[in-house]
């Protein structure tokens, strides 16, 4: 990608491109990097949203060896089930760790 490019991946894109075994392997590798001091997990933000009773949070981190920097923002609204929509809602925003330029928005 060039400095001016910005990738957007929808839920359908993610389901097509990311297979469960690959996702599990990536999470395992990230936890290993964390225990080896090669990754950082930043303080989590988690707040209740009233009057809906939802929870909203932000989880962020940096995986230096891979050049991954980003966060997932979203949460859980139990009342969504009655509306016929998913309870968990989130998006992931990834940045270039060398410049801080946003690079991708991914349906979480």
């Amino acid at each position: 990608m060039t400095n001016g490019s910005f990738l957007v991946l929808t839920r359908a894109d993610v389901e097509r491109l990311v297979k469960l075994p690959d996702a599990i392997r990536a999470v395992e590798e990230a936890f290993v990097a964390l225990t080896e001091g090669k990754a950082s997990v930043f303080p989590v933000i988690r707040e209740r949203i009233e009057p809906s009773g939802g929870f909203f949070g932000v989880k962020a981190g940096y995986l230096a060896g891979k050049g991954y920097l980003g966060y997932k923002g979203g949460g859980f609204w139990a009342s969504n089930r009655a509306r016929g929509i998913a309870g968990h809602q989130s998006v992931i925003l990834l940045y270039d760790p060398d410049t801080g330029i946003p690079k991708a928005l991914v349906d979480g």
Side-chain angles (χ1 to χ4, degrees), residues 9 24-25 35 39 48 51 57 62 66 75-77 79 86 88 105:
L9 296 176
I24 291 169
R25 186 170 28 264
T35 63
R48 188 163 180 85
Y62 175 48
K66 299 267 187 174
F76 178 73
W77 282 259
S79 61
H88 284 95
L105 180 70

Side-chain angles (χ1 to χ4, degrees), residues 45-90:
I45 298 168
R46 185 172 184 268
E47 298 293 331
R48 188 163 180 85
I49 305 300
E50 296 298 350
S52 68
F55 288 92
F56 181 79
V58 177
K59 296 178 180 178
Y62 175 48
L63 186 55
K66 299 267 187 174
Y68 300 153
L69 172 66
Y71 68 86
K72 178 181 83 168
F76 178 73
W77 282 259
S79 61
N80 281 358
R81 292 181 189 136
R83 297 180 174 111
I85 56 178
H88 284 95
Q89 305 291 334
S90 65

Side-chain angles (χ1 to χ4, degrees), residues 5-44:
S5 65
F6 187 79
L7 178 66
V8 175
L9 296 176
T10 66
R11 180 177 302 266
D13 294 330
V14 173
E15 289 173 349
R16 182 174 41 84
L17 295 169
V18 180
K19 303 304 175 209
L20 185 58
D22 297 327
I24 291 169
R25 186 170 28 264
V27 170
E28 288 173 343
E29 289 174 8
F31 277 117
V32 168
L34 183 62
T35 63
E36 293 174 347
K38 298 176 183 173
S40 301
V41 175
F42 307 143
V44 172

